[in-house]
Amino acid sequence: MTQYPYIPNSNEAVRKEMLDFIGAKSVEEIYSFIPDEVRMKRPLDLPEAFTSEMDLKKHMDGILAKDSTCDENISFLGAGCYNHYVPAVCDEINGRSEFLTAYSGDTYADHGKLQTFFEFTSMMGELLDLDVVSFPTYDGGQAASTAIMMSRRINGRSTALVPAAMNPSLLSQLKCYCEGMNLVGVASCPNGQLDLEDLKGKLTDDVACVFIQNPAFLGFFEEQCEEIGKLCHSVGAEYIVYADPSSLGVVQPPADYGADISCGEIQPLGIHMSYGGGLGGYLATRQEEKYVMNYPHHLYNIFKNSKGQFGYSRALPERTSYYVREKAIEYLGTCVGLWAVTAATYLAVMGPDGMRELGENILYKSNYAQKKLSALPGVKLPYSASHSFMEFVLNFDAAGKTVAEINKALLAKGIFGGYDLSVQMPEQGQSMLVCVTEKTGLSDIDALVDALKNIL
């Protein structure tokens, strides 16, 4: 076996010593739990090693040149990751070496970084109208999963009620992460709003929490939030709301209509879209012991020492795997610390007025798009009775074309069409989820309308 000088434990004698210590005959035995059907049975398709950095760069540039991005195309894609404008200052700050390469250094030796994390949690707390906000999770899906597991630890119950029409990718994460939880779907009314009668029928004394998305996955605001919260609390369950932070400049935060735990994705707060990256989740609650002691993530606080000097520290670290490893209440990772820096920069630059203007800008453009697109023959807005934010559903059943066909034709015109709902949510028929952000120009919307006229 090849020995690599820069890869530890590649020496055969060292490898054998380690295997003997754990009682394994081979490295293969360690991975025997991985199902055979998901294993790759061939070597990775990699080119021969490049001997110079110049050749490697040329090779990688050739691969990247095949990509199509939102910079050279008009995009109406959303469904969880959004093409928001990123202020230049966000890239400037998060690209500084003291943040970029040292985001997870020793806390007590780096008070500037620690203050940045504290400012992130403070500004998120102000946006959400809640007392306690944790260090970011890996993504919004983990934040939602942790929120549900927090509810189970709080009340000892094992059923979570979730919208039947929730984001399929998010639901997949919940099913994977929330081991031991019974996830039960709650039906929707024809206008998309949650069916309160179905919710009442499923609220039992084993319900740990009621979880909703607001805006809902299909784009519209859930308009019965307060009533849902009251029904949830009537059986002693926790009320969890997954909210888009970019909407909170124009609508009430979840805490104001009864949410116990608020969670969501911080990618809209100054973070570029990236294939598999650029994501981070937020988690927020009131400052009550039952919530605080069930956060698995770092909490940051400000304190004054005996000399009257202010400093920052991690609070109650004994909850976390960072300190007590396998004895922790849940796993903690630090891979998104850089996005806390980025989101803090974004919120500081935007301020309350900027967040309001952001929401208004999106609403105006979304309403314009819905009016123009709904006038096309063969196109319907099935949830037009509910108020949408930046996403809405277009249905093409009457047009005689599939969303796949339409999106292929749009791509040929330099337009990324909406997310194809027919793949994971066939009950929606031939429908796409169209997304409009502050970066979408009225001319972009007009281009989509004209292209669809042509295609249909």
Side-chain angles (χ1 to χ4, degrees), residues 201-214:
K202 290 172 178 173
L203 282 169
T204 67
D205 58 8
D206 188 49
V207 172
C209 64
V210 174
F211 173 95
I212 67 167
Q213 290 182 260
N214 198 27

Side-chain angles (χ1 to χ4, degrees), residues 43-109:
L44 289 171
D45 184 17
L46 297 174
E48 289 296 316
F50 292 96
T51 56
S52 74
E53 181 181 313
M54 181 175 63
D55 290 339
L56 175 61
K57 184 178 186 303
K58 183 178 180 181
H59 173 74
M60 294 305 298
D61 288 344
I63 293 174
L64 293 173
K66 299 175 183 178
D67 287 345
S68 292
T69 74
C70 295
D71 291 333
E72 64 267 11
N73 295 276
I74 300 171
S75 176
F76 293 94
L77 286 168
C81 190
Y82 301 104
N83 188 27
H84 288 290
Y85 179 71
V86 176
V89 69
C90 292
D91 291 334
E92 175 66 26
I93 297 298
N94 74 18
R96 292 182 65 90
S97 60
E98 55 266 53
F99 287 131
L100 181 61
T101 59
Y103 79 91
S104 193
D106 186 83
T107 294
Y108 301 102

Side-chain angles (χ1 to χ4, degrees), residues 12-319:
E12 186 61 34
V14 174
R15 188 189 298 264
K16 185 177 185 308
E17 182 182 353
M18 294 173 68
L19 289 171
D20 290 344
F21 182 82
I22 63 173
K25 295 178 180 178
S26 65
V27 174
E28 173 64 25
E29 186 178 332
I30 299 173
Y31 300 110
S32 60
F33 68 93
I34 300 175
D36 187 67
E37 62 269 18
V38 300
R39 293 188 177 212
M40 182 176 282
K41 305 293 176 65
R42 57 170 175 78
L44 289 171
D45 184 17
L46 297 174
E48 289 296 316
F50 292 96
T51 56
S52 74
E53 181 181 313
M54 181 175 63
D55 290 339
L56 175 61
K57 184 178 186 303
K58 183 178 180 181
H59 173 74
M60 294 305 298
D61 288 344
I63 293 174
L64 293 173
K66 299 175 183 178
D67 287 345
S68 292
T69 74
C70 295
D71 291 333
E72 64 267 11
N73 295 276
I74 300 171
S75 176
F76 293 94
L77 286 168
C81 190
Y82 301 104
N83 188 27
H84 288 290
Y85 179 71
V86 176
V89 69
C90 292
D91 291 334
E92 175 66 26
I93 297 298
N94 74 18
R96 292 182 65 90
S97 60
E98 55 266 53
F99 287 131
L100 181 61
T101 59
Y103 79 91
S104 193
D106 186 83
T107 294
Y108 301 102
D110 193 347
H111 285 278
K113 180 188 66 190
L114 192 56
Q115 180 179 355
T116 304
F117 292 161
F118 177 80
E119 300 295 355
F120 162 76
T121 62
S122 297
M123 286 185 281
M124 285 298 295
E126 187 172 348
L127 185 67
L128 295 162
D129 200 17
L130 283 167
D131 308 313
V132 182
V133 180
S134 77
F135 189 77
T137 65
Y138 282 110
D139 60 9
Q142 191 198 1
S145 302
T146 292
I148 289 176
M149 296 308 287
M150 284 174 72
S151 73
R152 180 177 183 175
R153 290 192 290 269
I154 289 168
N155 56 37
R157 302 175 182 181
S158 59
T159 297
L161 301 185
V162 302
M166 73 179 291
N167 184 332
S169 298
L170 183 56
L171 180 60
S172 174
Q173 278 187 273
L174 298 185
K175 288 178 177 178
C176 178
Y177 196 104
C178 299
E179 188 175 354
M181 291 295 289
N182 179 28
L183 302 176
V184 177
V186 178
S188 300
C189 296
N191 65 355
Q193 300 294 308
L194 209 65
D195 186 332
L196 296 188
E197 291 305 312
D198 190 46
L199 174 62
K200 290 175 186 176
K202 290 172 178 173
L203 282 169
T204 67
D205 58 8
D206 188 49
V207 172
C209 64
V210 174
F211 173 95
I212 67 167
Q213 290 182 260
N214 198 27
F217 173 62
L218 297 179
F220 46 80
F221 287 111
E222 176 56 65
E223 297 167 23
Q224 309 166 107
C225 294
E226 195 167 341
E227 193 167 352
I228 293 169
K230 288 177 180 177
L231 289 171
C232 171
H233 293 146
S234 70
V235 297
E238 300 296 320
Y239 185 24
I240 302 171
V241 178
Y242 187 98
D244 182 343
S246 67
S247 72
L248 298 181
V250 290
V251 296
Q252 284 182 309
D256 288 7
Y257 48 79
D260 301 301
I261 305 174
S262 183
C263 57
E265 174 62 56
I266 63 171
Q267 183 269 328
L269 303 179
I271 301 169
H272 293 282
M273 295 187 296
S274 177
Y275 190 81
L279 304 175
Y282 74 83
L283 196 61
T285 65
R286 300 185 297 275
Q287 187 167 314
E288 297 177 15
E289 184 177 355
K290 67 177 182 178
Y291 298 118
V292 172
M293 295 309 294
N294 274 294
Y295 277 94
H297 315 100
H298 291 318
L299 299 173
Y300 292 91
N301 68 313
I302 188 170
F303 67 90
K304 185 190 289 188
N305 66 15
S306 59
K307 297 179 181 179
Q309 299 168 318
F310 285 100
Y312 303 88
S313 67
R314 287 179 180 151
L316 305 168
E318 63 272 16
R319 300 164 293 103

